[in-house]
Amino acid sequence: MAVAVALSVLAVAPAAALQSEEGQCVPLPVVDDRCESWQVVHDPVADVDEPYQQPSAMVTSTSADLIAVAGYGAQDLFDTQGQAHSAWRILGIDPDTGEVRWLSRPGLTDAYSRPLGIQIAEDGTSVLVAGYRASAFGQTDALMVVMSLDAATGEVRWSTTVDGGRAEARSTDARGWFVAEADGSVLVLGTHRQPPPAVAQGLVVVRLDADTGDPTAVRTIPGVIPTGTSVPAGLAVSDDGDHAVVGATVDGVGTYDLDMLAVGLDLADGGLDVTWSHAWDGVGAHAPDRVQGMAADPVDGLVVLTGISSNDVDGSPFDVDYATATIAYDMETGARRWLSREMLAERVAMPAGVAVDDGRVVVVGSRSVDGTGQGYALGLDATDGSTSWVSPVDTPDRDREFTTAVAINGDHVAVTGGSSSSVAATVMPNRATISDTLTVALSASDGSRRWTARHNSTDIGDDAGRAVTVTPAGDVHVLSQVTRNVDMDENFYDLAVLGYLAADAPPVTPDRLGQL
């Protein structure tokens, strides 16, 4: 079923190898309220073999006083021959100063590998990472890899390769997407190639011993149809550690049918027994209903999925309106607590993520408004799903904003994404998607905006936030992809982390409130 393997190489860089850079940000009146308190750009220029540094996931832990970031370095992002190699990059960063405490570069023997999910253990001692390794780009011989790193040093405690529940390990195409901790165990939600004659991608959950990395249970999760493809959307564990919920988009029975799947697992006695399963088909049209994000409030036993939901029963899936659909389930019983469907645009409002905390749910996404692109944040009551507020996420001098992620902690909401302008297409036709990383802070109670910040790595670069966290004090941390330009036609991508500390935030005055 699985085998534990040792790392061939481990390199942990000292903090001096990567330091916070001095920012060049200048706030613009009315448009941008503030600059980042610190920024770290992982840009190993000397490493000519891997000029592309891509972000994957980020998590912040107050117990560990640490930001943990997963990414990878790649030789070539657009290699059509499948020969380019890539390798994991795991960073530990001080959340107050931006100092890079350690950089771990696990030496996987395969040519192509990526981390996809990251978590910090509740006691703050370990960083858990899940991903995959393969012989080359585009190959279907990937194997799931799970690692535990020392949160203080970045040293790998154990590394385990999992075959995805099939004996013929090198043909499973298994990948780890999300990782969580549960009562002395590590849980990983991933995908695996289903056995012949099916060739579709299925779901698999793996349970490992948190101390040794030894796999203790593997459970494949069925979709709606046996030959359908499943795409993971999230993994959550209840506060008592007895239950877990898996979220995914799965193929339905119709030609273009996609359903929003939620599955409950019983974790008692070291198991992974399926206790409930719901595949939501929207308005019952067998049309696309796709999960775009999942979040949970373990204390309240609530799990929430959000995504797009077709409004058209009879029309083509390429000519329909899509609502933003959010569904809440009880983590233990699977009982549906509520359903919200909101039309937040004339045609399509595309959700990108969801967060839940302290009785509030916030969904973020992007929509078209009067021919321009605009981000949005939707506030819902976690008890009944009723709409509390809707706030635009945009800036007055741009007309192409989008969101990618959201975090909530108490009354603090942080949203990240990108901000660009259609003017770029006129000035530089081959650079029509030039964007800056956009970060917005909102109040969870009423959606009012507290501050706005944009980060621009280069004048002609494509930057965008990929993940965001917020602390109880309101400190915001953003994982971003930034661009290092060689010329107008060739760019290299870097991984960046931006810190926006509450202590550095501008004061909220009546004049500023009138400008927002």
Side-chain angles (χ1 to χ4, degrees):
M1 176 178 66
V3 59
V5 296
L7 288 176
S8 59
V9 179
L10 170 65
V12 179
L18 290 170
Q19 293 293 339
S20 306
E21 297 187 356
E22 295 296 329
Q24 302 297 319
C25 170
V26 177
L28 299 176
V30 181
V31 178
D32 298 316
D33 301 297
R34 62 176 302 182
C35 295
E36 59 275 5
S37 303
W38 52 260
Q39 62 170 313
V40 173
V41 179
H42 180 39
D43 177 13
V45 178
D47 191 354
V48 295
D49 290 334
E50 295 173 357
Y52 299 93
Q53 306 297 314
Q54 292 284 288
S56 293
M58 180 180 72
V59 63
T60 300
S61 168
T62 53
S63 62
D65 189 31
L66 182 72
I67 301 171
V69 175
Y72 61 94
Q75 184 182 44
D76 189 342
L77 296 182
F78 310 103
D79 174 32
T80 58
Q81 303 301 315
Q83 300 303 312
H85 71 269
S86 66
W88 291 29
R89 301 283 186 272
I90 314 299
L91 291 85
I93 300 173
D94 187 299
D96 296 323
T97 66
E99 176 190 3
V100 178
R101 295 175 180 169
W102 48 262
L103 166 64
S104 181
R105 301 176 61 175
L108 301 175
T109 56
D110 297 71
Y112 195 82
S113 59
R114 291 188 181 185
L116 298 174
I118 192 167
Q119 186 62 267
I120 298 176
E122 188 175 354
D123 62 6
T125 61
S126 302
V127 176
L128 307 170
V129 190
Y132 68 92
R133 49 190 289 192
S135 62
F137 175 78
Q139 297 302 304
T140 58
D141 61 354
L143 293 173
M144 182 189 297
V145 178
V146 188
M147 293 185 187
S148 175
L149 288 73
D150 188 302
T153 66
E155 295 184 1
V156 175
R157 291 177 166 176
W158 52 258
S159 177
T160 300
T161 297
V162 184
D163 64 20
R166 290 178 54 198
E168 59 274 32
R170 294 302 294 185
S171 64
T172 58
D173 197 21
R175 301 163 192 258
W177 289 68
F178 297 94
V179 60
E181 183 189 24
D183 192 25
S185 298
V186 176
L187 299 183
V188 178
L189 169 62
T191 55
H192 71 114
R193 187 73 57 176
Q194 298 190 50
V199 294
Q201 174 179 278
L203 298 174
V204 61
V205 179
V206 180
R207 187 168 188 169
L208 307 97
D209 185 284
D211 294 325
T212 65
D214 294 333
T216 57
V218 175
R219 171 70 62 182
T220 56
I221 306 294
V224 174
I225 56 177
T227 58
T229 289
S230 303
V231 179
L235 172 66
V237 177
S238 63
D239 191 52
D240 58 12
D242 290 339
H243 307 279
V245 179
V246 168
T249 299
V250 297
D251 284 341
V253 298
T255 303
Y256 300 106
D257 189 12
L258 297 173
D259 295 337
M260 298 171 64
L261 178 71
V263 178
L265 301 174
D266 185 351
L267 304 182
D269 301 322
L272 287 172
D273 295 330
V274 175
T275 56
W276 57 266
S277 180
H278 299 301
W280 188 69
D281 187 31
V283 296
H286 299 317
D289 303 288
R290 185 170 67 237
V291 184
Q292 300 292 125
M294 175 177 142
D297 184 343
V299 175
D300 188 37
L302 178 76
V303 64
V304 177
L305 286 76
T306 194
I308 60 169
S309 177
S310 170
N311 283 332
D312 198 334
V313 176
D314 301 315
S316 164
F318 305 106
D319 187 27
V320 299
D321 300 332
Y322 289 93
T324 295
T326 308
I327 314 172
Y329 296 104
D330 185 280
M331 296 186 72
E332 179 178 356
T333 66
R336 193 171 82 183
R337 295 190 182 180
W338 49 261
L339 166 66
S340 166
R341 293 183 83 255
E342 290 279 357
M343 280 300 298
L344 300 174
E346 292 182 2
R347 294 299 306 275
V348 177
M350 179 69 72
V354 62
V356 55
D357 183 60
D358 196 24
R360 300 186 178 100
V361 175
V362 180
V363 177
V364 297
S366 305
R367 60 186 177 181
S368 177
V369 177
D370 297 327
T372 66
Q374 183 188 82
Y376 68 86
L378 167 66
L380 303 173
D381 189 312
T383 59
D384 60 9
S386 60
T387 298
S388 302
W389 48 263
V390 180
S391 295
V393 178
D394 58 2
T395 56
D397 64 334
R398 301 285 180 90
D399 61 0
R400 290 182 178 177
E401 271 87 15
F402 59 92
T403 67
T404 56
V406 60
I408 181 173
N409 203 320
D411 195 44
H412 300 288
V413 175
V415 183
T416 193
S419 174
S420 63
S421 173
S422 58
V423 175
T426 303
V427 178
M428 293 174 286
N430 64 329
R431 304 296 301 160
T433 59
I434 295 172
S435 66
D436 299 332
T437 297
L438 174 67
T439 305
V440 172
L442 305 172
S443 167
S445 57
D446 60 11
S448 59
R449 189 176 303 197
R450 290 176 169 166
W451 52 261
T452 302
R454 286 185 299 196
H455 178 268
N456 179 18
S457 60
T458 60
D459 290 337
I460 58 173
D462 293 326
D463 306 337
R466 292 290 181 257
V468 64
T469 64
V470 60
T471 69
D475 294 342
V476 175
H477 302 108
V478 177
L479 176 63
S480 176
Q481 174 186 293
V482 299
T483 306
R484 171 166 44 92
N485 297 89
V486 176
D487 53 39
M488 286 292 294
D489 298 313
E490 186 174 9
N491 301 317
F492 294 116
Y493 300 105
D494 296 323
L495 178 159
V497 181
L498 313 174
Y500 298 93
L501 305 185
D504 299 332
V508 178
T509 65
D511 289 341
R512 277 193 59 247
L513 287 175
Q515 295 173 348
L516 296 179

